[in-house]
Amino acid sequence: MHGELHPLEADPVYFVNEIFASIQGEGLLAGTPAVFVRLQGCPVHCPWCDTKYTWKEGSGEVALVDPEEVFRKDSKPRCARITGDEVARQARDRWPRVPLAVVTGGEPCAQPVRQLLGSLERSGFRTEIETSGFLPVDVPDRTFVTVSPKITVPGGRVLPEALRRADEVKMVVGSPEDLAALDRILPLIPADTPVSLQPLSADSAASDLCFRTAMERGGRFRVSVQIHKYLGVR
């Protein structure tokens, strides 16, 4: 579902599930303090998803007063309707020294994220988007794009143009079958794009598989460990 355009404004209204600050715990930018803007709605529905409460689009609408109080991680699909400029204003006012803003979901590309990312950049943030590549990735040139393909999910896909735009491809790996799926799309990924292997649910067997694969293949392959979980933060 796409955010609606107000008749007097060019700034779309977004379905926002939550806004919070932490560190980026995954991928190439791991360790960077970041404000996370989680958008509501996802057409992919991965069985291992840890944010299933974001799947239903535009439901359970509430007013965005205090993100830390209004939004909480539970089983209810909750979201607020808010413009990109207001998201950026709240993020910058609340966390003035945090350098990075990460737009995630759900599937953020189900909404017109180019304008939202632009608002965040104008507020002084570096920007990153985390997407499955299931939908077209229409973002500003400066935005760091992490594509996490969900190609092992029934009906899953990743668009070749999304892989070409990616600054990083982050593959969730739980079994050799996941690596085989990655190998099928590997020819579509530019040769200089890093590939991060992320163990599914921090499982020890999956972690060992990612470690061994990165060591054997070398080059652009690396292991992405969810360091925020080790630190006990979101």
Side-chain angles (χ1 to χ4, degrees), residues 38-113:
R38 188 180 304 284
L39 301 185
Q40 182 79 14
C42 182
V44 184
H45 299 180
C46 301
W48 63 80
C49 178
D50 59 1
T51 57
K52 292 181 180 179
Y53 55 92
T54 66
W55 285 3
K56 193 172 182 180
E57 297 175 336
S59 61
E61 293 177 20
V62 295
L64 185 62
V65 179
D66 184 341
E68 293 182 352
E69 295 178 4
V70 172
F71 301 119
R72 61 185 183 273
K73 185 176 181 180
D74 58 21
S75 60
K76 297 178 181 178
R78 301 157 57 86
C79 67
R81 292 166 58 86
I82 180 174
T83 67
D85 285 347
E86 179 61 16
V87 169
R89 185 192 67 77
Q90 290 213 22
R92 182 47 77 203
D93 286 353
R94 294 174 64 84
W95 300 287
R97 299 189 65 82
V98 172
L100 177 67
V102 181
V103 177
T104 184
E107 172 46 69
C109 290
Q111 299 189 48
V113 288

Side-chain angles (χ1 to χ4, degrees), residues 133-137 145 147 157-166 188 190:
F134 187 85
L135 299 170
V137 181
V145 176
V147 173
R157 69 180 184 203
V158 61
L159 300 178
E161 56 267 32
L163 293 173
R164 290 193 293 268
R165 175 59 182 85
L188 303 175

Side-chain angles (χ1 to χ4, degrees), residues 110-173:
Q111 299 189 48
V113 288
R114 171 178 284 273
Q115 294 94 321
L116 171 58
L117 290 160
S119 294
L120 291 164
E121 288 181 356
R122 288 192 296 274
S123 295
F125 288 103
R126 295 166 51 204
T127 58
E128 177 184 6
I129 188 169
E130 297 182 344
T131 175
S132 66
F134 187 85
L135 299 170
V137 181
D138 181 18
V139 300
D141 292 342
R142 294 183 298 275
T143 296
F144 187 95
V145 176
T146 297
V147 173
S148 183
K150 304 301 187 289
I151 48 180
T152 60
V153 178
R157 69 180 184 203
V158 61
L159 300 178
E161 56 267 32
L163 293 173
R164 290 193 293 268
R165 175 59 182 85
D167 294 289
E168 167 191 28
V169 172
K170 183 178 66 180
M171 185 73 180
V172 176
V173 175

Side-chain angles (χ1 to χ4, degrees), residues 179-190:
L179 288 175
L182 172 62
D183 285 339
R184 289 195 292 272
I185 65 169
L186 204 58
L188 303 175
I189 304 172

